Amino acid sequence: MTETLSPARHYRELAAKFTTRVEAVPADRWDAPSPCEGWTARDVLRHVVDTQRQIVTVVGLELPACPSPDTDPVGAWAATRDGMQAILDDPQRAGLEYDGHFGRTTLAATVARFYNFDLVVHGWDIARAAGLDDSVDDEDLDFVEATAQALGDSIRMEGVCGPAVEVPADADRRTRVLAHLGRRA
């Protein structure tokens, strides 16, 4: 179960799934609209790359340079993923503390909660935009659902998730979880 995984291991597993989706996007689908209003698949990837590159700076770290998602989306993601994984695999760097939105925390704890969440949700967004298999494993749904519940109303902060979307009472679990995050499955 994901609750018992270290942040480094959970990131590795979710990043591998995200990578599979990123690598499968046909070149002509990167500019296709995503479920995130006003964003393309490339914009979603850029968001993931940029936010992961930004979060490490709050503890004085930096990820190695990467290509632009505009010219090499797969390369931009691979360089970001590898740099983040190297940090998470180093307990000293992963354990660096900072004062975050929810109080004092570590880089690893932030990645474990927020950035791993993004890998699942934005992986779905990219798959949906590209016309790929957009299924989500039950274990990943458990993680996303638990994280969203733990965030409470904070999930609706500017730049996080939009308003929940109504779905039929008999909607499947994936549809219900994504609808809570403002997405139509």
Side-chain angles (χ1 to χ4, degrees):
M1 200 155 239
T2 55
E3 303 93 49
T4 62
L5 294 180
S6 72
R9 182 171 171 203
H10 196 203
Y11 181 88
R12 182 176 290 105
E13 290 179 6
L14 294 176
K17 293 175 188 179
F18 189 84
T19 299
T20 297
R21 287 182 161 167
V22 167
E23 290 175 344
V25 175
D28 66 343
R29 296 297 297 169
W30 278 111
D31 294 315
S34 81
C36 302
E37 189 176 334
W39 284 19
T40 64
R42 186 183 314 274
D43 294 330
V44 173
L45 179 73
R46 182 181 297 105
H47 165 76
V48 172
V49 166
D50 289 350
T51 57
Q52 288 195 18
R53 299 184 77 75
Q54 185 280 326
I55 191 59
V56 301
T57 67
V58 301
V59 294
L61 300 175
E62 189 174 310
L63 295 179
C66 74
S68 169
D70 292 329
T71 56
D72 185 1
V74 174
W77 165 243
T80 300
R81 175 203 62 215
D82 294 349
M84 180 64 83
Q85 190 67 62
I87 289 171
L88 293 172
D89 286 341
D90 177 353
Q92 185 174 2
R93 291 188 295 167
L96 290 171
E97 294 183 356
Y98 73 102
D99 292 315
H101 182 77
F102 298 103
R104 193 90 178 141
T105 190
T106 65
L107 178 61
T110 300
V111 171
R113 175 171 271 184
F114 301 108
Y115 294 88
N116 284 350
F117 176 91
D118 269 6
L119 291 176
V120 176
V121 176
H122 290 318
W124 181 84
D125 292 332
I126 289 171
R128 188 69 163 204
L132 304 172
D133 174 14
D134 64 0
S135 59
V136 180
D137 297 340
D138 285 338
E139 184 175 284
D140 295 342
L141 281 175
D142 292 344
F143 168 68
V144 167
E145 190 171 39
T147 300
Q149 288 174 354
L151 290 172
D153 293 338
S154 295
I155 196 84
R156 306 283 172 231
M157 291 182 340
E158 179 71 27
V160 182
C161 288
V165 175
E166 288 191 38
V167 295
D170 63 346
D172 64 59
R173 180 170 179 231
R174 183 194 69 157
T175 300
R176 289 191 317 272
V177 170
L178 291 168
H180 178 72
L181 304 177
R183 288 157 169 81
R184 295 186 190 282

